[in-house]
Amino acid sequence: MLKPDVIFFGESVPKERVQRCYHLIDQSELLLVAGSSLAVMSGLRFVRHDAKAGKPVIIINRGATRGDDLATLKIDAGTSEILTGLLDRLRSPIV
């Protein structure tokens, strides 16, 4: 049987992949969650880890997420509009 290299809902994320993610998060200055309700632990665990380390967590999502209480900043909006607007601002010359 052939299976794509993805994790389907209900499956466990391989331990080595999780450890690699923790390593990347530990090297970062902040964590940005874009477009996730964090309904499953595979995403929420990284928010908890970053918040416990005292680093900023920014969540962009329409509606509530399971990580809202840990967020330094919660933006209740669509990711496309927010990230496109941010990119436009970064490209604009500072006046």
Side-chain angles (χ1 to χ4, degrees):
M1 177 186 300
L2 295 176
K3 180 183 178 290
D5 189 21
V6 297
I7 307 300
F8 289 110
F9 187 81
E11 293 182 329
S12 294
V13 179
K15 289 181 182 181
E16 57 278 350
R17 191 172 303 170
V18 172
Q19 291 306 314
R20 205 168 51 229
C21 291
Y22 277 127
H23 175 73
L24 290 169
I25 289 170
D26 288 340
Q27 302 304 310
S28 70
E29 294 180 26
L30 62 86
L31 179 63
L32 172 64
V33 177
S36 174
S37 65
L38 299 169
V40 294
M41 186 54 69
S42 54
L44 183 59
R45 67 175 135 202
F46 301 121
V47 171
R48 288 180 173 173
H49 180 82
D50 216 48
K52 186 176 179 181
K55 292 193 209 173
V57 175
I58 301 169
I59 299 175
I60 305 169
N61 191 64
R62 283 198 175 106
T65 79
R66 287 178 61 197
D68 288 355
D69 59 327
L70 300 170
T72 308
L73 174 63
K74 166 66 189 311
I75 302 172
D76 193 343
T79 56
S80 295
E81 62 198 71
I82 296 299
L83 295 177
T84 301
L86 178 60
L87 185 59
D88 290 344
R89 294 220 32 196
L90 291 172
R91 289 180 176 162
S92 297
I94 298 174
V95 193

